[in-house]
Amino acid sequence: KNYNEEKGILYIAKELVKNNKAIRCPVPKQMAKMFKEILKVQKTLNKHWNEDCYVFSEDGLKHIARDTPNIKLKYIISRAKLGFHAVAHGNRTVCEDLWENRRFTASAINIQQDHSSQTGNQVRDRYKGKDDFFKERAKMLQWTADYLDKEIKHFMKKNNK
């Protein structure tokens, strides 16, 4: 219901985003691999699982709560005793800076970040059309996933883990 594996799209319901507009989110290959594993687990745990079920759900019938990712991130950091504090919202700023430095367009960044304005100017937004910059956002997210993989490998090598 909220993930199309074939097209590589995660659909985020309008009830879950601050602008009350549903989002088509591109899925990088690393995330697709993770989703495949999650779906396997969901199908194993829920014999009634089908394509109309939500991926991130206890029973597949309703989507996750808006604050669930933040709660889970804090839980993982605490459980692993990583010794630092992080929130998902802080990652938005880091991503925005990285994407701007890589010269992705402001409209693609604003849409991916679910900002209320696509261009930073609501009057200009009206003339911009309905383009959701999906292809550019897919490149942005794949670049980000590859960048994170590289950073994690570097960290692990540096810390012999």
Side-chain angles (χ1 to χ4, degrees):
K1 200 174 209 176
N2 60 339
Y3 175 56
N4 184 320
E5 185 176 0
E6 189 177 302
K7 293 183 179 180
I9 300 172
L10 177 67
Y11 296 97
I12 303 172
K14 66 181 184 178
E15 299 83 29
L16 296 175
V17 293
K18 64 182 178 183
N19 290 327
N20 206 28
K21 291 188 302 190
I23 298 174
R24 288 183 336 137
C25 188
V27 175
K29 63 184 177 199
Q30 295 90 329
M31 196 176 195
K33 186 177 177 182
M34 179 186 71
F35 284 176
K36 194 173 229 167
E37 293 301 313
I38 291 170
L39 283 170
K40 238 191 269 182
V41 171
Q42 292 286 35
K43 289 174 183 176
T44 302
L45 296 175
N46 183 348
K47 64 182 177 180
H48 302 291
W49 192 268
N50 63 50
E51 63 186 32
D52 290 330
C53 291
Y54 290 100
V55 175
F56 301 106
S57 171
E58 302 244 349
D59 59 7
L61 301 177
K62 58 186 183 288
H63 49 71
I64 62 171
R66 183 181 243 168
D67 60 346
T68 299
N70 231 358
I71 292 168
K72 290 295 181 190
L73 178 63
K74 288 176 183 176
Y75 172 75
I76 290 167
I77 290 170
S78 168
R79 195 174 112 207
K81 297 180 177 136
L82 295 176
F84 61 85
H85 172 76
V87 293
H89 200 274
N91 293 323
R92 293 169 55 93
T93 304
V94 171
C95 286
E96 188 168 356
D97 290 345
L98 288 170
W99 294 334
E100 285 174 352
N101 289 335
R102 295 288 299 173
R103 306 245 187 270
F104 288 107
T105 63
S107 293
I109 293 169
N110 284 331
I111 291 168
Q112 190 60 40
Q113 298 275 37
D114 187 35
H115 292 159
S116 59
S117 172
Q118 178 179 332
T119 64
N121 180 326
Q122 291 190 346
V123 174
R124 188 165 179 245
D125 284 351
R126 285 188 220 131
Y127 298 100
K128 210 54 176 146
K130 299 280 186 211
D131 188 357
D132 70 353
F133 294 83
F134 188 83
K135 286 182 181 177
E136 184 171 3
R137 292 187 301 118
K139 288 178 187 172
M140 282 171 35
L141 294 182
Q142 188 58 60
W143 176 84
T144 305
D146 293 342
Y147 174 79
L148 291 172
D149 279 349
K150 188 175 92 180
E151 289 296 309
I152 290 167
K153 283 178 188 170
H154 175 74
F155 175 82
M156 298 300 271
K157 185 177 180 180
K158 184 175 141 184
N159 292 291
N160 297 320
K161 295 187 179 193

